[in-house]
Amino acid sequence: EAALEAGIHLFDVRDPDRFAGSQELGTVLLLLQVFSYLGATLSSVLVANTLSAVMSEEVQQIGIIKSLGGQRWHILLTYLGYALAIGLAGTVAGWLVGIWLGGRLASYLAGMTGLQQPPVAISVEGIALAFLVGVVVTVTASLIPVVVHSRSRVAPLLRSAGVRNDSGSRWVRWLTAPLARAGATLALGPRNALRRPGRATSTIVVVAVAVAAFVATQALSRSVSTTVDDLYALYGADAWVGFQQPVDLAYVSQLERDPLIAEVEAWTSASGAFGSTRTDIWGMPEEDPLYAYRLVAGEWVRPSVPPGAVLTSNLATEIGARVGDVRVLDVGDRRETVRISGIVDDSSTYLGNTATGKVFMTTQDVNRLRSLGTRADIFAFTVEPESRTDIRATLEKIEERHRALGPVTYSVAADQRSSRQAISVLTLMLNTMVILVGVVGIAGIGNALLIGISERRREIGVLRSLGATGKAMMAILIGEGVMLAFVG
């Protein structure tokens, strides 16, 4: 006040790191980052499996190279060069598809949020990062199979193993014994899946991560939607109306005479703090408010000395308050000693809100703290059932009838739709990432089966020569894939 009297105009400067929706945006970006790391990890498993299969097919060629004097580094350079070529090709394709998909996703989100989409900007740093990730992930994942095969001696590499009995250890046969009793063909698939424990484990991990990501995102989406609907159920009002300045409480009776309105309550709002913990303060009726509070402890607001205050559970936890405690509440330049009379379950907030929880008091107590006398700054109301079908038109009529006071109405239904729209954006992004992870999981199983078929060509030929039909071979291979998918 002294600064204003001296002609000094004060203004607030917004913190650029804390803007409306910054927390929500940060959550989405964090999820995208986590899924990008997850995708890179799963891709590295696929690359390692693929290169292991290639080198398994070419063990004799590797043996010939080493028998002719080839050094270990010749083998390393040959297959790491192969991995580098795969990495470069995959990076170019992935970068182009990523630009296209990113533009589509940005256009969809801009349309949903009403924002203007900026033109696509491609930076040199972005291109360099894409190639770095694609090449480094591929080459790094190739190191393990390349190093293992390059260290092998010449004799084992040149030896043709032919058909051998490597159907697995005793515990594998024990696990598949029930299937073997039902039919030998049924047991061959699962046993084949476990003949290479390392490869089977990596494939199972890929499937497990894909399934876990799907289950987690679906559960999260349903949980958030259910929580939002549950929080909106706390507010029995259909809408609120506020005015350019506080209005006398007697205005309730005038609103009640409006044929579109069924029930009205005068509410008062303020901002306050317990010490350094900022909070929102609401003044509400003592008996049967439209706010359907859920008491965790204590009782709802009642006139008392010192004034009673009901805290939301998250605020009570933050300041360590319990029912019966006496605390000092700051409201503007006033300080009030209040007694904690109750705690309610309510974690609802609005986009960009930085306050912790809420404090509920009687309308008279909040009016006294704000020096409003017998006035209120917001009125909660319900409309007649026949007026709820088109709540927007109803609110426009109410604004028109009370336009002298400059009313501004807020629809609960519209606000709830906005919240659901924000959830749908998050769900869309999560599902997109899950689909990508699922594709990697499918590729992991297919890759493992192809490697197994390549390694067991002689075995498959012997089975076919002994009379195994194409259907029997399909059953064996499908059983192998089902085993990996089921365990994963």
Side-chain angles (χ1 to χ4, degrees):
E1 290 177 355
L4 290 175
E5 289 176 0
I8 302 174
H9 297 282
L10 303 178
F11 55 90
D12 294 328
V13 178
R14 177 178 62 80
D15 183 353
D17 294 327
R18 296 181 67 87
F19 52 89
S22 59
Q23 186 175 2
E24 291 77 9
L25 178 61
T27 302
V28 172
L29 294 178
L30 176 62
L31 287 171
L32 289 176
Q33 192 173 24
V34 168
F35 274 106
S36 66
Y37 292 146
L38 185 61
T41 303
L42 295 180
S43 299
S44 66
V45 174
L46 284 182
V47 170
N49 273 343
T50 301
L51 206 64
S52 177
V54 170
M55 299 191 74
S56 296
E57 284 187 337
E58 300 179 1
V59 288
Q60 291 190 340
Q61 290 92 317
I62 296 172
I64 293 172
I65 292 173
K66 298 191 77 171
S67 67
L68 294 175
Q71 300 298 314
R72 184 179 174 188
W73 62 270
H74 288 118
I75 310 296
L76 289 171
L77 288 180
T78 298
Y79 287 97
L80 287 179
Y82 174 77
L84 179 63
I86 292 177
L88 288 173
T91 300
V92 171
W95 182 75
L96 293 175
V97 173
I99 291 294
W100 180 79
L101 284 177
R104 287 298 187 92
L105 181 60
S107 177
Y108 177 79
L109 295 178
M112 289 188 68
T113 56
L115 299 174
Q116 183 178 2
Q117 182 183 0
V120 176
I122 301 173
S123 65
V124 176
E125 293 81 0
I127 298 175
L129 181 61
F131 276 85
L132 180 65
V133 171
V135 172
V136 168
V137 166
T138 306
V139 174
T140 303
S142 306
L143 283 175
I144 295 178
V146 170
V147 170
V148 170
H149 284 82
S150 65
R151 294 178 61 182
S152 301
R153 292 177 297 173
V154 175
L157 291 171
L158 293 176
R159 186 184 301 123
S160 176
V163 179
R164 54 182 177 164
N165 180 20
D166 60 350
S167 59
S169 60
R170 183 177 301 174
W171 70 271
V172 173
R173 292 193 295 273
W174 177 77
L175 285 174
T176 56
L179 292 175
R181 285 193 291 270
T185 304
L186 292 176
L188 278 177
R191 285 178 179 176
N192 286 337
L194 299 173
R195 284 163 70 173
R196 298 288 186 271
R199 183 185 307 150
T201 300
S202 63
T203 306
I204 287 171
V205 168
V206 171
V207 177
V209 171
V211 173
F214 175 79
V215 172
T217 53
Q218 295 304 308
L220 173 65
S221 177
R222 282 195 296 270
S223 175
V224 172
S225 298
T226 303
T227 301
V228 168
D229 292 340
D230 187 50
L231 290 175
Y232 274 101
L234 287 171
Y235 297 90
D238 293 321
W240 295 276
V241 58
F243 301 98
Q244 295 179 356
Q245 58 186 2
V247 178
D248 194 273
L249 294 174
Y251 192 69
V252 168
S253 58
Q254 185 176 342
L255 286 172
E256 286 176 337
R257 289 195 294 270
D258 193 307
L260 298 174
I261 295 177
E263 184 179 358
V264 186
E265 289 179 354
W267 292 5
T268 307
S269 62
S271 295
F274 287 102
S276 60
T277 303
R278 294 181 58 249
T279 186
D280 293 326
I281 304 173
W282 288 93
M284 288 191 175
E286 306 160 26
E287 301 291 339
D288 300 323
L290 290 176
Y291 173 72
Y293 57 86
R294 293 192 292 252
L295 279 172
V296 175
E299 60 180 8
W300 183 241
V301 294
R302 294 283 186 274
S304 62
V305 179
V310 175
L311 277 54
T312 56
S313 54
N314 57 340
L315 176 59
T317 301
E318 178 70 20
I319 65 174
R322 294 181 298 179
V323 174
D325 289 353
V326 175
R327 297 296 180 97
V328 174
L329 176 64
D330 295 318
V331 181
D333 58 353
R334 301 188 61 171
R335 310 195 77 184
E336 180 78 16
T337 300
V338 298
R339 185 181 66 84
I340 311 302
S341 59
I343 297 175
V344 293
D345 177 21
D346 180 0
S347 57
S348 60
T349 184
Y350 56 88
L351 190 64
N353 187 22
T354 57
T356 302
K358 305 181 186 71
V359 176
F360 299 101
M361 303 175 68
T362 64
T363 303
Q364 292 77 8
D365 286 335
V366 177
N367 283 5
R368 179 172 49 79
L369 290 173
R370 289 190 55 192
S371 301
L372 291 179
T374 60
R375 294 174 296 169
D377 55 2
I378 188 169
F379 294 83
F381 62 91
T382 59
V383 298
E384 296 294 344
E386 61 273 12
S387 302
R388 291 175 186 167
T389 54
D390 191 356
I391 189 68
R392 178 180 296 180
T394 300
L395 295 182
E396 288 177 354
K397 293 177 182 177
I398 293 173
E399 288 184 356
E400 181 63 27
R401 292 174 183 177
H402 306 274
R403 62 185 303 176
L405 296 172
V408 178
T409 57
Y410 306 90
S411 168
V412 175
D415 196 52
Q416 192 169 6
R417 281 196 303 271
S418 177
S419 297
R420 285 176 176 168
Q421 188 178 49
I423 295 171
S424 67
V425 172
L426 176 62
T427 303
L428 169 70
M429 304 189 80
L430 288 175
N431 288 340
T432 302
M433 297 301 105
V434 168
I435 289 172
L436 295 179
V437 173
V439 169
V440 174
I442 293 172
I445 292 182
N447 195 41
L449 293 179
L450 288 174
I451 294 172
I453 293 172
S454 176
E455 290 179 342
R456 299 197 304 271
R457 280 178 297 184
R458 290 173 180 268
E459 180 182 311
I460 293 173
V462 171
L463 288 174
R464 293 301 300 270
S465 68
L466 292 176
T469 63
K471 289 183 179 180
M473 297 309 304
M474 285 288 290
I476 292 172
L477 295 174
I478 290 174
E480 185 174 344
V482 169
M483 177 70 175
L484 294 172
F486 178 77
V487 177

